[in-house]
Amino acid sequence: MNRQDRRPPSTADSLREYGRGIAGGFLFSLPLLYTSEVWSTGLTTTPVRLLAGLVGSFVLLCGYNAYAGLRYDSRPSEVLIDSVEELGIGLVLSVAILALLGRISVASVLDEGLGTVVIEGLLIAIGVSVGTAQLAGGEEDQGTRHSRQPTLTSEIILALCGAILIVANVAPTDEVLVLAAGMSVWQLLGTMAISVVLAATLLYFSDFAGSGRFDHSRGHVHVLHGAALTYAAALVCSAAILWFFGRFQNHALEIALAQCVILALPGTLGASAGRLLLK
Amino acid sequence: MNKNTLEWTVFAGSLVLILFVAGTLLYSHFTTGQQPPSITVTFGEPVRSGDAYALPMEIRNEGDVTAEDVRIEVVLSGAGLHERSEAVLAIVPYHSRRRAWVTFMGDPARGTVRSRVLGYQEP
């Protein structure tokens, strides 16, 4: 857990930060812990895919902590340490809650249960990271937040974090595939158009909290650029999470793309919210 | 580095845990093959259940691929008995086992019990 003050914090301060992280972890990932498709995906996902998820989540955590975490001036070593902590906390919380819910046992946690623990743990870890920063209160915490200048990289990281918190809760469900199999090309194109319009509306025309830097008076190209960036982040995030959950396996390219487009709609909401609200 | 003892402890524990998980997954990747589901059934001791008998089964998948919607037929024959029962398991992960029960009106201990995996699908 990171901070601007170079003195070590008190144990009480650390416990408060961990508390926020745990709250955030559960807040953002609880639906997944109650989703049977996630449990069964954990049983069938290959070790390579889980490893890729582990690495991808760690990179995302590093990005979030570097560009949008609790403090704006963390050194690279602190970013790495914080990310390791958050990933570790996510895995421990995953074991604890899955054991409490009876989805894993002592005998299965290192065998068939490991996949479920890893999948849930990765998503909880992102919640821990976002929760630690976003749920912070108090003068000291607030004081460090408004000093960060947005950059293209930080905007992309925020959009990805926001998108993943939403799409991860939808991607494992069978409904995405059902919709993909039943929608026509025109419906899919319409979904894409609605998604881009949604991003533009949320960022530039809705006067949401945090929308001050998204000024539509700078021209249509500026608005289109911002909306396209947000939608692209949602689309990439959707593809990555669908691949991670094995939703492209044994399906035609058209079905895989249709799933991405369908998932990118809620993903755009998440990406827009990420750019607006995450700090 | 402005970390206190608690935070260094959490970091060290997290690092060990992540390396352990990553190591386990790597080990699993390099030691797991592509053998299709290989399902075997073994029976336990039957117990009286109301007017019937319940027979426990242990279903093992020794293959490297998970089997879904596994249907198992169990036939009780001999000693004047001829009954058929069936169990359906939603999922039997690779290198794993599941426990299920089938019931018969006759006592399985008196006859011969045979099982056959009717079918399953890969995820």
Side-chain angles (χ1 to χ4, degrees), chain A residues 233-255:
Chain A
L235 212 51
V236 168
C237 216
S238 300
I241 204 92
L242 283 165
W243 174 82
F244 180 61
F245 282 116
R247 295 293 162 159
F248 295 155
Q249 220 166 333
N250 303 324
H251 293 303
L253 179 64
E254 295 90 327
I255 293 289

Side-chain angles (χ1 to χ4, degrees), chain A:
Chain A
M1 304 281 164
N2 44 17
R3 55 191 57 79
Q4 188 178 23
D5 192 347
R6 294 299 168 205
R7 286 171 303 166
S10 67
T11 303
D13 287 340
S14 299
L15 287 173
R16 272 193 287 273
E17 282 192 17
Y18 289 133
R20 283 203 304 273
I22 291 168
F26 283 141
L27 187 66
F28 294 115
S29 65
L30 213 55
L32 282 172
L33 290 162
Y34 287 80
T35 305
S36 65
E37 286 96 335
V38 179
W39 309 331
S40 55
T41 301
L43 299 175
T44 57
T45 304
T46 60
V48 168
R49 207 181 289 266
L50 293 171
L51 271 171
L54 202 63
V55 173
S57 300
F58 187 70
V59 170
L60 193 63
L61 288 174
C62 287
Y64 182 76
N65 287 325
Y67 292 105
L70 181 60
R71 309 289 163 173
Y72 69 94
D73 64 342
S74 295
R75 289 176 290 194
S77 57
E78 288 175 322
V79 167
L80 283 174
I81 288 173
D82 289 342
S83 303
V84 166
E85 277 186 69
E86 287 155 1
L87 201 49
I89 291 171
L91 290 170
V92 169
L93 289 179
S94 172
V95 170
I97 197 76
L98 286 170
L100 193 67
L101 296 173
R103 303 315 308 173
I104 57 168
S105 64
V106 175
S108 72
V109 70
L110 290 179
D111 195 1
E112 62 178 84
L114 186 62
T116 310
V117 166
V118 171
I119 288 175
E120 302 277 16
L122 300 181
L123 299 165
I124 294 175
I126 294 168
V128 169
S129 183
V130 173
T132 303
Q134 299 304 312
L135 304 180
E139 289 176 10
E140 186 191 338
D141 293 320
Q142 295 298 328
T144 61
R145 286 189 176 200
H146 301 296
S147 308
R148 185 182 288 117
Q149 288 301 316
T151 63
L152 180 64
T153 311
S154 69
E155 290 292 317
I156 292 172
I157 294 287
L158 290 176
L160 289 174
C161 281
I164 208 146
L165 288 172
I166 301 296
V167 300
N169 286 288
V170 184
T173 61
D174 291 334
E175 282 74 6
V176 178
L177 180 60
V178 172
L179 290 171
M183 286 173 72
S184 69
V185 172
W186 299 112
Q187 287 172 315
L188 290 170
L189 287 172
T191 306
M192 291 180 74
I194 292 287
S195 300
V196 175
V197 170
L198 196 62
T201 307
L202 285 173
L203 291 174
Y204 294 95
F205 299 101
S206 298
D207 200 23
F208 271 98
S211 65
R213 66 181 190 278
F214 300 103
D215 184 7
H216 63 85
S217 64
R218 291 171 65 184
H220 297 310
V221 175
H222 179 69
V223 171
L224 191 63
H225 174 266
L229 177 75
T230 306
Y231 184 61
L235 212 51
V236 168
C237 216
S238 300
I241 204 92
L242 283 165
W243 174 82
F244 180 61
F245 282 116
R247 295 293 162 159
F248 295 155
Q249 220 166 333
N250 303 324
H251 293 303
L253 179 64
E254 295 90 327
I255 293 289
L257 286 175
Q259 289 187 85
C260 291
V261 169
I262 289 162
L263 195 58
L265 178 59
T268 303
L269 276 173
S272 304
R275 294 185 69 187
L276 286 170
L277 303 176
L278 298 183
K279 299 181 180 70

